[in-house]
Coordinates of all heavy atoms in Angstrom, one line a residue:
M143 N 4.3 -63.9 -12.9 CA 4.4 -63.2 -11.7 C 4.1 -61.7 -12.0 O 4.4 -61.2 -13.0 CB 5.8 -63.3 -11.1 CG 6.0 -62.4 -9.9 SD 7.7 -62.3 -9.3 CE 8.2 -64.0 -9.1
S144 N 3.4 -61.1 -11.0 CA 3.0 -59.7 -11.2 C 4.2 -58.8 -11.3 O 5.2 -59.0 -10.6 CB 2.1 -59.3 -10.0 OG 1.8 -58.0 -10.1
V145 N 4.1 -57.8 -12.0 CA 5.1 -56.7 -12.1 C 5.3 -56.1 -10.8 O 6.4 -55.7 -10.4 CB 4.7 -55.7 -13.2 CG1 5.7 -54.5 -13.2 CG2 4.6 -56.3 -14.5
V146 N 4.2 -56.0 -10.0 CA 4.3 -55.3 -8.7 C 5.0 -56.1 -7.6 O 5.5 -55.6 -6.7 CB 2.9 -55.0 -8.2 CG1 2.9 -54.3 -6.9 CG2 2.2 -54.1 -9.3
F147 N 5.0 -57.5 -7.8 CA 5.7 -58.3 -6.8 C 7.2 -58.0 -6.8 O 7.9 -58.2 -7.7 CB 5.4 -59.8 -7.0 CG 6.1 -60.6 -6.0 CD1 5.6 -60.8 -4.8 CD2 7.3 -61.2 -6.3 CE1 6.2 -61.5 -3.8 CE2 7.9 -62.0 -5.4 CZ 7.4 -62.2 -4.1
V148 N 7.6 -57.5 -5.6 CA 9.0 -57.3 -5.5 C 9.5 -57.9 -4.1 O 8.8 -57.7 -3.1 CB 9.3 -55.7 -5.4 CG1 10.8 -55.4 -5.2 CG2 8.8 -55.1 -6.7
P149 N 10.5 -58.7 -4.1 CA 11.0 -59.2 -2.9 C 11.2 -58.2 -1.8 O 11.6 -57.0 -2.1 CB 12.3 -59.9 -3.2 CG 12.2 -60.1 -4.7 CD 11.4 -59.0 -5.2
E150 N 11.0 -58.6 -0.6 CA 11.1 -57.6 0.6 C 12.4 -56.8 0.5 O 12.4 -55.6 0.8 CB 11.0 -58.4 1.9 CG 10.9 -57.6 3.1 CD 9.6 -56.9 3.2 OE1 8.5 -57.5 3.0 OE2 9.6 -55.7 3.6
R151 N 13.6 -57.5 0.2 CA 14.9 -56.8 0.3 C 15.0 -55.7 -0.8 O 15.9 -54.9 -0.7 CB 16.0 -57.8 0.1 CG 16.1 -58.5 -1.3 CD 17.1 -59.6 -1.3 NE 17.4 -60.0 -2.6 CZ 16.6 -60.8 -3.4 NH1 15.5 -61.2 -2.9 NH2 16.9 -61.2 -4.6
L152 N 14.2 -55.8 -1.8 CA 14.3 -54.8 -2.9 C 13.2 -53.7 -2.9 O 13.2 -52.8 -3.7 CB 14.2 -55.5 -4.3 CG 15.3 -56.5 -4.6 CD1 15.0 -57.2 -5.9 CD2 16.6 -55.8 -4.6
R153 N 12.2 -53.8 -1.9 CA 11.1 -52.9 -1.9 C 11.6 -51.5 -1.6 O 12.5 -51.2 -0.8 CB 10.1 -53.3 -0.8 CG 9.4 -54.5 -1.2 CD 8.2 -54.8 -0.4 NE 7.7 -56.1 -0.9 CZ 6.8 -56.8 -0.2 NH1 6.3 -56.4 0.9 NH2 6.3 -57.9 -0.7
G154 N 11.0 -50.5 -2.3 CA 11.4 -49.1 -2.1 C 12.6 -48.7 -3.0 O 13.0 -47.6 -3.0
K155 N 13.2 -49.7 -3.7 CA 14.3 -49.4 -4.5 C 14.1 -49.4 -6.0 O 14.9 -49.1 -6.8 CB 15.5 -50.4 -4.2 CG 15.9 -50.3 -2.7 CD 17.0 -51.3 -2.4 CE 17.3 -51.1 -0.9 NZ 18.2 -52.1 -0.5
A156 N 12.9 -49.9 -6.4 CA 12.5 -50.0 -7.8 C 12.2 -48.6 -8.4 O 11.6 -47.8 -7.7 CB 11.3 -50.9 -7.9
E157 N 12.7 -48.4 -9.6 CA 12.4 -47.2 -10.3 C 11.1 -47.3 -11.0 O 10.9 -48.3 -11.7 CB 13.5 -46.9 -11.3 CG 13.3 -45.6 -12.0 CD 14.4 -45.3 -13.0 OE1 15.6 -45.7 -12.7 OE2 14.1 -44.7 -14.0
V158 N 10.2 -46.3 -10.8 CA 8.9 -46.4 -11.5 C 9.1 -45.5 -12.8 O 9.4 -44.3 -12.7 CB 7.8 -45.8 -10.7 CG1 6.5 -45.8 -11.4 CG2 7.7 -46.6 -9.4
N159 N 9.0 -46.1 -13.9 CA 9.1 -45.4 -15.2 C 7.9 -45.7 -16.1 O 7.1 -46.6 -15.7 CB 10.4 -45.7 -15.9 CG 10.6 -47.1 -16.1 OD1 9.7 -47.9 -16.5 ND2 11.9 -47.6 -16.0
Q160 N 7.8 -45.1 -17.2 CA 6.7 -45.2 -18.1 C 6.6 -46.7 -18.6 O 5.5 -47.2 -18.7 CB 6.9 -44.3 -19.3 CG 5.6 -44.1 -20.1 CD 4.5 -43.4 -19.2 OE1 4.8 -42.6 -18.4 NE2 3.3 -43.7 -19.5
E161 N 7.7 -47.3 -18.8 CA 7.7 -48.7 -19.3 C 7.1 -49.7 -18.2 O 6.2 -50.5 -18.5 CB 9.1 -49.2 -19.6 CG 9.1 -50.6 -20.1 CD 10.6 -51.1 -20.4 OE1 11.4 -50.3 -20.7 OE2 10.8 -52.3 -20.3
T162 N 7.5 -49.5 -17.0 CA 6.9 -50.3 -15.9 C 5.4 -50.1 -15.8 O 4.7 -51.0 -15.6 CB 7.6 -49.9 -14.6 OG1 9.0 -50.1 -14.7 CG2 7.1 -50.8 -13.4
L163 N 5.0 -48.8 -15.8 CA 3.6 -48.5 -15.7 C 2.8 -49.1 -16.9 O 1.7 -49.7 -16.7 CB 3.4 -47.0 -15.6 CG 3.9 -46.3 -14.4 CD1 3.7 -44.8 -14.5 CD2 3.2 -46.8 -13.1
Q164 N 3.4 -49.1 -18.1 CA 2.7 -49.6 -19.2 C 2.5 -51.1 -19.1 O 1.5 -51.7 -19.4 CB 3.4 -49.3 -20.5 CG 2.7 -49.7 -21.8 CD 1.3 -49.1 -21.9 OE1 1.1 -47.9 -21.7 NE2 0.4 -49.9 -22.3
R165 N 3.6 -51.8 -18.6 CA 3.5 -53.2 -18.4 C 2.5 -53.6 -17.4 O 1.8 -54.6 -17.5 CB 4.9 -53.8 -18.0 CG 5.9 -53.9 -19.1 CD 7.2 -54.4 -18.8 NE 7.3 -55.4 -17.7 CZ 8.3 -55.5 -16.8 NH1 9.3 -54.7 -16.9 NH2 8.2 -56.4 -15.8
L166 N 2.4 -52.8 -16.3 CA 1.4 -53.0 -15.3 C 0.0 -52.9 -15.8 O -0.9 -53.7 -15.5 CB 1.7 -52.1 -14.1 CG 0.9 -52.3 -12.8 CD1 1.1 -53.7 -12.3 CD2 1.3 -51.3 -11.8
L167 N -0.2 -51.8 -16.6 CA -1.5 -51.6 -17.2 C -1.9 -52.8 -18.2 O -3.1 -53.3 -18.2 CB -1.6 -50.3 -18.0 CG -1.5 -49.1 -17.1 CD1 -1.3 -47.8 -18.0 CD2 -2.7 -49.0 -16.2
E168 N -0.9 -53.3 -18.9 CA -1.2 -54.4 -19.8 C -1.5 -55.7 -19.0 O -2.4 -56.5 -19.4 CB 0.0 -54.7 -20.7 CG 0.2 -53.6 -21.8 CD 1.5 -53.6 -22.5 OE1 2.3 -54.5 -22.3 OE2 1.7 -52.7 -23.3
E169 N -0.8 -55.9 -17.9 CA -1.0 -57.0 -17.0 C -2.5 -56.9 -16.4 O -3.2 -57.9 -16.4 CB 0.0 -57.0 -15.9 CG -0.3 -58.2 -14.9 CD 0.7 -58.2 -13.8 OE1 1.5 -57.3 -13.6 OE2 0.7 -59.2 -13.0
N170 N -2.9 -55.7 -16.0 CA -4.2 -55.5 -15.5 C -5.3 -55.9 -16.5 O -6.3 -56.5 -16.2 CB -4.4 -54.1 -15.0 CG -3.7 -53.8 -13.7 OD1 -3.1 -54.8 -13.1 ND2 -3.6 -52.6 -13.3
D171 N -5.0 -55.5 -17.8 CA -5.9 -55.8 -18.9 C -6.1 -57.3 -19.0 O -7.2 -57.8 -19.1 CB -5.4 -55.2 -20.2 CG -6.3 -55.5 -21.3 OD1 -7.5 -55.1 -21.4 OD2 -5.8 -56.2 -22.3
Q172 N -5.0 -58.0 -19.0 CA -5.0 -59.5 -19.1 C -5.7 -60.1 -17.9 O -6.5 -61.1 -18.0 CB -3.6 -60.0 -19.2 CG -3.6 -61.5 -19.5 CD -4.3 -61.9 -20.8 OE1 -4.2 -61.1 -21.8 NE2 -4.9 -63.0 -20.9
L173 N -5.5 -59.6 -16.7 CA -6.1 -60.1 -15.5 C -7.6 -59.9 -15.6 O -8.4 -60.9 -15.3 CB -5.6 -59.4 -14.2 CG -4.2 -59.8 -13.8 CD1 -3.7 -58.8 -12.8 CD2 -4.2 -61.2 -13.2
I174 N -8.1 -58.8 -16.0 CA -9.5 -58.5 -16.2 C -10.1 -59.5 -17.2 O -11.2 -60.0 -17.0 CB -9.8 -57.0 -16.6 CG1 -9.4 -56.1 -15.4 CG2 -11.2 -56.8 -17.0 CD1 -9.3 -54.7 -15.7
R175 N -9.4 -59.7 -18.3 CA -9.9 -60.7 -19.3 C -10.1 -62.1 -18.7 O -11.0 -62.8 -19.0 CB -9.0 -60.7 -20.5 CG -9.1 -59.4 -21.3 CD -8.1 -59.4 -22.5 NE -7.9 -58.1 -23.1 CZ -8.7 -57.7 -24.0 NH1 -9.6 -58.4 -24.5 NH2 -8.5 -56.4 -24.5
C176 N -9.1 -62.5 -17.9 CA -9.1 -63.8 -17.3 C -10.3 -63.9 -16.3 O -11.0 -64.9 -16.3 CB -7.8 -64.1 -16.6 SG -6.4 -64.5 -17.7
I177 N -10.4 -62.9 -15.5 CA -11.5 -62.8 -14.5 C -12.9 -62.9 -15.2 O -13.7 -63.7 -14.8 CB -11.4 -61.5 -13.7 CG1 -10.2 -61.6 -12.8 CG2 -12.7 -61.3 -12.8 CD1 -9.8 -60.3 -12.1
V178 N -13.1 -62.1 -16.3 CA -14.3 -62.2 -17.0 C -14.6 -63.5 -17.6 O -15.7 -64.1 -17.6 CB -14.4 -61.1 -18.1 CG1 -15.5 -61.2 -19.0 CG2 -14.4 -59.7 -17.4
E179 N -13.5 -64.1 -18.2 CA -13.7 -65.5 -18.8 C -14.1 -66.5 -17.8 O -15.0 -67.3 -18.0 CB -12.4 -65.9 -19.5 CG -12.5 -67.2 -20.2 CD -11.2 -67.6 -20.9 OE1 -10.3 -66.7 -21.2 OE2 -11.0 -68.8 -21.1
Y180 N -13.4 -66.5 -16.6 CA -13.7 -67.5 -15.6 C -15.2 -67.3 -15.1 O -15.9 -68.2 -14.9 CB -12.8 -67.4 -14.4 CG -11.5 -68.2 -14.6 CD1 -10.3 -67.6 -14.5 CD2 -11.6 -69.6 -14.8 CE1 -9.1 -68.3 -14.7 CE2 -10.4 -70.3 -15.0 CZ -9.2 -69.7 -14.9 OH -8.0 -70.4 -15.1
Q181 N -15.6 -66.0 -14.9 CA -16.9 -65.7 -14.4 C -18.0 -66.1 -15.4 O -19.0 -66.7 -15.0 CB -17.0 -64.3 -14.0 CG -16.3 -63.9 -12.8 CD -16.4 -62.4 -12.4 OE1 -16.7 -61.6 -13.3 NE2 -16.1 -62.1 -11.2
S182 N -17.7 -65.9 -16.7 CA -18.7 -66.3 -17.7 C -18.8 -67.8 -17.8 O -19.8 -68.3 -18.3 CB -18.3 -65.7 -19.1 OG -17.1 -66.4 -19.6
K183 N -17.8 -68.6 -17.4 CA -17.9 -70.0 -17.4 C -18.4 -70.6 -16.1 O -18.4 -71.8 -15.9 CB -16.5 -70.6 -17.6 CG -16.0 -70.3 -19.0 CD -14.6 -70.9 -19.2 CE -14.1 -70.7 -20.7 NZ -12.8 -71.2 -20.9
G184 N -18.8 -69.7 -15.2 CA -19.4 -70.1 -13.9 C -18.3 -70.6 -12.9 O -18.6 -71.3 -12.0
R185 N -17.1 -70.1 -13.1 CA -16.0 -70.6 -12.3 C -15.4 -69.4 -11.4 O -14.2 -69.1 -11.4 CB -14.9 -71.2 -13.1 CG -15.3 -72.4 -13.9 CD -14.3 -72.9 -14.8 NE -13.0 -73.2 -14.2 CZ -11.9 -73.4 -14.8 NH1 -11.8 -73.4 -16.1 NH2 -10.7 -73.6 -14.2
A186 N -16.4 -68.7 -10.8 CA -16.0 -67.5 -10.0 C -14.9 -67.8 -8.9 O -14.1 -67.0 -8.7 CB -17.2 -66.9 -9.4
T187 N -15.0 -68.9 -8.3 CA -14.0 -69.2 -7.3 C -12.6 -69.4 -7.8 O -11.6 -69.1 -7.1 CB -14.4 -70.5 -6.5 OG1 -14.5 -71.6 -7.4 CG2 -15.7 -70.4 -5.7
D188 N -12.5 -69.8 -9.1 CA -11.2 -69.9 -9.8 C -10.5 -68.6 -10.1 O -9.3 -68.5 -10.3 CB -11.3 -70.7 -11.0 CG -11.6 -72.2 -10.8 OD1 -11.3 -72.7 -9.7 OD2 -12.3 -72.8 -11.7
C189 N -11.3 -67.5 -10.1 CA -10.7 -66.2 -10.5 C -10.3 -65.4 -9.3 O -9.8 -64.3 -9.5 CB -11.7 -65.4 -11.4 SG -13.2 -64.8 -10.6
V190 N -10.5 -65.9 -8.1 CA -10.2 -65.1 -6.9 C -8.7 -64.7 -6.9 O -8.4 -63.6 -6.5 CB -10.6 -65.9 -5.6 CG1 -10.1 -65.2 -4.4 CG2 -12.1 -66.0 -5.6
Q191 N -7.8 -65.6 -7.2 CA -6.4 -65.3 -7.2 C -6.1 -64.2 -8.1 O -5.2 -63.3 -7.8 CB -5.6 -66.5 -7.5 CG -5.7 -67.0 -9.0 CD -4.9 -68.3 -9.3 OE1 -4.1 -68.6 -8.5 NE2 -5.2 -68.9 -10.4
Y192 N -6.7 -64.1 -9.3 CA -6.5 -63.0 -10.2 C -7.1 -61.7 -9.7 O -6.5 -60.6 -10.0 CB -7.1 -63.4 -11.6 CG -6.5 -64.6 -12.2 CD1 -7.3 -65.8 -12.4 CD2 -5.2 -64.7 -12.5 CE1 -6.7 -66.9 -13.0 CE2 -4.6 -65.8 -13.1 CZ -5.4 -66.9 -13.3 OH -4.8 -68.0 -13.8
Q193 N -8.2 -61.8 -9.0 CA -8.8 -60.6 -8.4 C -7.8 -60.0 -7.3 O -7.7 -58.8 -7.2 CB -10.1 -60.9 -7.8 CG -11.2 -61.2 -8.8 CD -12.5 -61.7 -8.2 OE1 -12.5 -62.4 -7.2 NE2 -13.6 -61.4 -8.9
H194 N -7.2 -60.9 -6.6 CA -6.2 -60.4 -5.6 C -5.0 -59.7 -6.2 O -4.6 -58.6 -5.8 CB -5.8 -61.6 -4.7 CG -6.8 -62.1 -3.7 ND1 -7.2 -61.3 -2.7 CD2 -7.4 -63.2 -3.7 CE1 -8.1 -62.0 -2.0 NE2 -8.2 -63.2 -2.6
I195 N -4.5 -60.3 -7.3 CA -3.4 -59.7 -8.0 C -3.8 -58.3 -8.6 O -3.1 -57.3 -8.5 CB -2.8 -60.6 -9.1 CG1 -2.3 -61.8 -8.5 CG2 -1.8 -59.9 -9.9 CD1 -1.9 -62.9 -9.4
L196 N -5.0 -58.3 -9.2 CA -5.5 -57.0 -9.8 C -5.7 -56.0 -8.7 O -5.3 -54.8 -8.9 CB -6.8 -57.3 -10.5 CG -7.5 -56.1 -11.1 CD1 -6.7 -55.4 -12.2 CD2 -8.9 -56.5 -11.7
H197 N -6.2 -56.4 -7.6 CA -6.4 -55.4 -6.5 C -5.0 -54.9 -6.0 O -4.9 -53.7 -5.8 CB -7.1 -56.1 -5.3 CG -7.3 -55.3 -4.1 ND1 -6.5 -55.3 -3.0 CD2 -8.2 -54.3 -3.8 CE1 -6.9 -54.4 -2.1 NE2 -8.0 -53.8 -2.6
R198 N -4.1 -55.7 -5.9 CA -2.7 -55.3 -5.5 C -2.1 -54.3 -6.5 O -1.6 -53.3 -6.1 CB -1.8 -56.5 -5.3 CG -0.4 -56.1 -4.8 CD 0.5 -57.3 -4.6 NE 0.6 -58.0 -5.9 CZ 0.9 -59.3 -6.1 NH1 1.1 -60.1 -5.0 NH2 1.0 -59.8 -7.2
N199 N -2.3 -54.6 -7.8 CA -1.8 -53.8 -8.8 C -2.5 -52.4 -8.8 O -1.8 -51.4 -8.9 CB -2.0 -54.4 -10.2 CG -1.1 -55.6 -10.5 OD1 -0.3 -55.9 -9.6 ND2 -1.3 -56.2 -11.6
L200 N -3.8 -52.4 -8.6 CA -4.5 -51.1 -8.5 C -4.1 -50.3 -7.3 O -4.0 -49.0 -7.4 CB -6.0 -51.4 -8.5 CG -6.6 -52.0 -9.8 CD1 -8.0 -52.4 -9.7 CD2 -6.4 -51.0 -11.0
I201 N -3.9 -50.9 -6.2 CA -3.5 -50.2 -5.0 C -2.1 -49.6 -5.2 O -1.8 -48.5 -4.9 CB -3.5 -51.1 -3.8 CG1 -4.9 -51.6 -3.4 CG2 -2.8 -50.4 -2.6 CD1 -5.8 -50.4 -3.0
Y202 N -1.2 -50.4 -5.9 CA 0.1 -49.9 -6.2 C 0.1 -48.7 -7.1 O 0.7 -47.7 -6.9 CB 0.9 -51.0 -6.9 CG 2.3 -50.7 -7.3 CD1 3.3 -50.5 -6.3 CD2 2.7 -50.5 -8.6 CE1 4.6 -50.2 -6.7 CE2 4.0 -50.2 -9.0 CZ 4.9 -50.1 -8.0 OH 6.2 -49.7 -8.4
L203 N -0.8 -48.7 -8.2 CA -0.9 -47.6 -9.1 C -1.5 -46.4 -8.4 O -1.0 -45.2 -8.6 CB -1.8 -48.0 -10.3 CG -1.2 -48.9 -11.3 CD1 -2.3 -49.4 -12.3 CD2 -0.1 -48.2 -12.0
A204 N -2.4 -46.6 -7.5 CA -3.0 -45.5 -6.7 C -2.0 -44.9 -5.8 O -1.9 -43.6 -5.6 CB -4.2 -46.0 -5.9
T205 N -1.1 -45.7 -5.2 CA -0.1 -45.2 -4.3 C 0.9 -44.3 -5.1 O 1.3 -43.3 -4.6 CB 0.6 -46.4 -3.6 OG1 -0.3 -47.1 -2.9 CG2 1.7 -45.9 -2.7
I206 N 1.3 -44.8 -6.3 CA 2.2 -44.0 -7.1 C 1.5 -42.7 -7.5 O 2.1 -41.6 -7.5 CB 2.6 -44.8 -8.4 CG1 3.4 -46.0 -8.0 CG2 3.3 -43.9 -9.4 CD1 3.6 -46.9 -9.2
A207 N 0.2 -42.7 -7.9 CA -0.5 -41.5 -8.3 C -0.5 -40.5 -7.1 O -0.3 -39.3 -7.3 CB -1.9 -41.8 -8.8
D208 N -0.8 -41.0 -5.9 CA -0.9 -40.2 -4.7 C 0.5 -39.5 -4.4 O 0.5 -38.4 -3.9 CB -1.4 -40.9 -3.5 CG -2.9 -41.2 -3.6 OD1 -3.6 -40.6 -4.5 OD2 -3.4 -42.1 -2.9
A209 N 1.6 -40.3 -4.7 CA 2.9 -39.8 -4.3 C 3.5 -38.9 -5.4 O 4.5 -38.3 -5.1 CB 3.8 -41.0 -4.1
T210 N 2.9 -38.8 -6.5 CA 3.4 -38.0 -7.6 C 3.0 -36.6 -7.5 O 1.8 -36.3 -7.3 CB 2.9 -38.6 -9.0 OG1 3.3 -39.9 -9.1 CG2 3.5 -37.8 -10.1
P211 N 4.0 -35.6 -7.4 CA 3.6 -34.2 -7.4 C 2.7 -33.8 -8.5 O 2.9 -34.3 -9.6 CB 5.0 -33.5 -7.4 CG 6.0 -34.5 -7.1 CD 5.4 -35.8 -7.5
P212 N 1.8 -32.9 -8.3 CA 0.8 -32.5 -9.3 C 1.4 -32.1 -10.6 O 1.0 -32.4 -11.7 CB 0.0 -31.4 -8.7 CG 0.1 -31.6 -7.2 CD 1.5 -32.2 -7.0
G213 N 2.5 -31.3 -10.6 CA 3.2 -30.9 -11.8 C 3.9 -31.9 -12.6 O 4.3 -31.7 -13.7
A214 N 4.2 -33.0 -11.9 CA 5.0 -34.1 -12.6 C 4.2 -35.0 -13.4 O 4.8 -35.8 -14.2 CB 5.8 -34.9 -11.5
Q215 N 2.9 -35.0 -13.3 CA 2.1 -35.9 -14.1 C 2.0 -35.5 -15.5 O 1.8 -34.3 -15.8 CB 0.7 -36.1 -13.5 CG 0.7 -36.7 -12.1 CD -0.7 -36.8 -11.5 OE1 -1.6 -36.3 -12.1 NE2 -0.8 -37.4 -10.4
K216 N 2.1 -36.4 -16.4 CA 2.0 -36.1 -17.9 C 0.5 -36.0 -18.2 O -0.3 -36.8 -17.7 CB 2.6 -37.2 -18.7 CG 4.1 -37.2 -18.7 CD 4.6 -38.2 -19.7 CE 6.1 -38.2 -19.7 NZ 6.7 -39.2 -20.7
T217 N 0.2 -35.1 -19.1 CA -1.2 -34.9 -19.6 C -1.2 -35.2 -21.1 O -0.1 -35.0 -21.7 CB -1.8 -33.6 -19.2 OG1 -0.9 -32.6 -19.8 CG2 -1.9 -33.3 -17.7
T218 N -2.3 -35.5 -21.6 CA -2.4 -35.7 -23.0 C -3.2 -34.6 -23.7 O -4.0 -34.9 -24.5 CB -3.1 -37.1 -23.3 OG1 -4.4 -37.1 -22.7 CG2 -2.2 -38.3 -22.8
E219 N -2.9 -33.4 -23.3 CA -3.6 -32.3 -23.9 C -3.0 -31.8 -25.2 O -1.9 -31.9 -25.5 CB -3.6 -31.1 -22.9 CG -4.3 -31.4 -21.7 CD -4.2 -30.2 -20.7 OE1 -3.7 -29.1 -21.0 OE2 -4.6 -30.5 -19.5

């Protein structure tokens, strides 16, 4: 199950922390690997479900990035 999937009753109550974000990035990495593998085997229709999950995860990450105040983002300088 995707890290991003949260039951309706719990939406908006989850704490977003570095560990959650890291797990989500790792999940996205695995999803991309599965999608590439299926596509290389000519099974593009089988990877659609993974593409949907990846899309949802990316939208979630973009939403978090948009909602984060500019000064609150960590930089690796």
Side-chain angles (χ1 to χ4, degrees):
M143 179 187 305
S144 176
V145 175
V146 180
F147 178 77
V148 178
E150 189 72 41
R151 70 184 189 284
L152 298 176
R153 289 190 184 168
K155 298 177 183 174
E157 181 180 328
V158 178
N159 57 36
Q160 197 64 31
E161 180 183 334
T162 302
L163 293 176
Q164 185 60 43
R165 284 182 28 213
L166 189 55
L167 292 171
E168 290 169 3
E169 179 181 8
N170 287 351
D171 178 64
Q172 187 61 37
L173 287 166
I174 291 168
R175 291 174 192 273
C176 288
I177 291 166
V178 168
E179 182 179 339
Y180 276 122
Q181 287 178 340
S182 69
K183 293 179 179 180
R185 298 173 56 190
T187 56
D188 292 333
C189 70
V190 171
Q191 65 181 349
Y192 299 115
Q193 290 171 329
H194 286 294
I195 296 169
L196 178 61
H197 179 262
R198 181 180 62 204
N199 288 357
L200 292 172
I201 296 298
Y202 180 73
L203 287 170
T205 302
I206 292 170
D208 287 345
T210 303
Q215 294 180 355
K216 288 186 178 180
T217 59
T218 57
E219 295 177 13

